[in-house]
Amino acid sequence: MNVSVPIVITIDGPSGSGKGTLSQMLARHLNYHLLDSGALYRLVALAVIKKGVELSDEQAVSKVAEGLDVRFSLENGESAQILLEGENVAGAIRQEVVSMAASQIAAYPKVRAALLERQRAFAIGPGLIADGRDMGTTVFPNAQVKLFLTASPEARAERRYKQLCGKGEAVDMSELINDIRERDERDSNRSISPLKPAPDAVIIDSTAMSIDEVFAKILTAIK
Ligand code: DC
């Protein structure tokens, strides 16, 4: 094998499937780089909102994606700060309003095209854990290992509920389930790079599993 080719492990799946946490655990365990591709779509959405650009204006939104001024500042190998035009927005991009906007703008082919090379540039030695929706299908079709994590909408809403309550945000459980279903629907049915497992992906349903159990299963799949 050509040693200069970095190993790429893709982890795709819907929000709340645990892929964010598991990608971080895996990157730390293997000492690999980490690409949180959802953060890029969230950054475009936040930049669009801040600039007062209409979310429905694909042309204008894709211009924002093309010119995105973002830096990930690293601390102990982990992403500590996400700087959008110099401002740390690591917390701001996780707001529900940004989640919904990100899902909307992620359906635009021009936005996806604008972010493609930016994502591929993360694949440097020794390896990369790529977390997203289309990592194994579109961005890294030649990845050596492809994983697809899933869980029922109810289980995912419950995880999100606990997360938001932990941050002191008031949330309504049935609203969360509806939001998740709505987002799933949009992410799975868009014409470009829909959320779906690559044909060669290992599918893991984490509905009734703890994070540690899923992690053990992932390590087995990688071996
Ligand atoms: O994983 P996340 O919730 O941070 O992603 C935010 C939004 O971006 C989500 O609605 C789906 C979209 N997304 C995408 O279309 N493709 C990716 N590779 C990652 C995220």
Side-chain angles (χ1 to χ4, degrees):
M1 194 173 88
N2 181 350
V3 287
S4 66
V5 174
I7 306 278
V8 177
I9 299 175
T10 60
I11 306 189
D12 289 306
S15 57
S17 59
K19 69 191 165 57
T21 306
L22 286 155
S23 297
Q24 279 178 22
M25 286 168 77
L26 198 56
R28 218 171 291 145
H29 182 79
L30 298 172
N31 216 4
Y32 278 12
H33 299 277
L34 176 65
L35 164 62
D36 173 2
S37 60
L40 288 175
Y41 289 94
R42 287 171 180 275
L43 282 158
V44 173
L46 182 64
V48 162
I49 293 169
K50 276 178 176 283
K51 289 177 196 296
V53 169
E54 276 296 326
L55 279 172
S56 56
D57 185 344
E58 176 170 1
Q59 197 62 34
V61 172
S62 60
K63 281 272 167 292
V64 173
E66 281 161 20
L68 197 67
D69 169 11
V70 60
R71 268 187 306 124
F72 294 86
S73 88
L74 299 177
E75 210 171 74
N76 301 325
E78 285 170 41
S79 207
Q81 288 198 327
I82 302 176
L83 301 174
L84 178 63
E85 292 177 3
E87 184 193 346
N88 184 18
V89 295
I93 59 165
R94 302 289 158 199
Q95 301 166 96
E96 275 303 297
V97 57
V98 179
S99 302
M100 291 309 276
S103 169
Q104 191 175 336
I105 59 103
Y108 295 149
K110 284 185 181 150
V111 170
R112 305 199 72 85
L115 296 181
L116 194 58
E117 287 313 315
R118 211 187 267 263
Q119 295 175 86
R120 289 186 175 152
F122 278 78
I124 49 175
L128 175 71
I129 308 299
D131 161 356
R133 303 292 192 288
D134 61 340
M135 299 294 100
T137 50
T138 306
V139 182
F140 300 109
N142 298 322
Q144 291 86 340
V145 181
K146 297 180 185 178
L147 303 164
F148 191 89
L149 290 188
T150 178
S152 71
E154 290 76 13
R156 290 188 280 128
E158 201 176 316
R159 290 172 193 167
R160 186 84 185 119
Y161 183 81
K162 285 187 186 148
Q163 236 178 25
L164 292 173
C165 285
K167 281 196 258 170
E169 277 188 48
V171 276
D172 179 80
M173 188 64 178
S174 54
E175 233 173 74
L176 271 184
I177 296 181
N178 282 342
D179 280 0
I180 282 188
R181 285 190 199 282
E182 194 183 315
R183 224 164 359 132
D184 279 0
E185 174 81 12
R186 194 155 43 203
D187 293 343
S188 307
N189 293 321
R190 62 176 177 233
S191 56
I192 179 167
S193 294
L195 169 65
K196 68 162 199 261
D200 49 346
V202 176
I203 299 176
I204 300 174
D205 185 335
S206 72
T207 303
M209 288 167 89
S210 71
I211 285 283
D212 288 337
E213 285 169 330
V214 183
F215 189 59
K217 201 157 182 169
I218 287 178
L219 290 183
T220 309
I222 292 172
K223 279 182 195 133

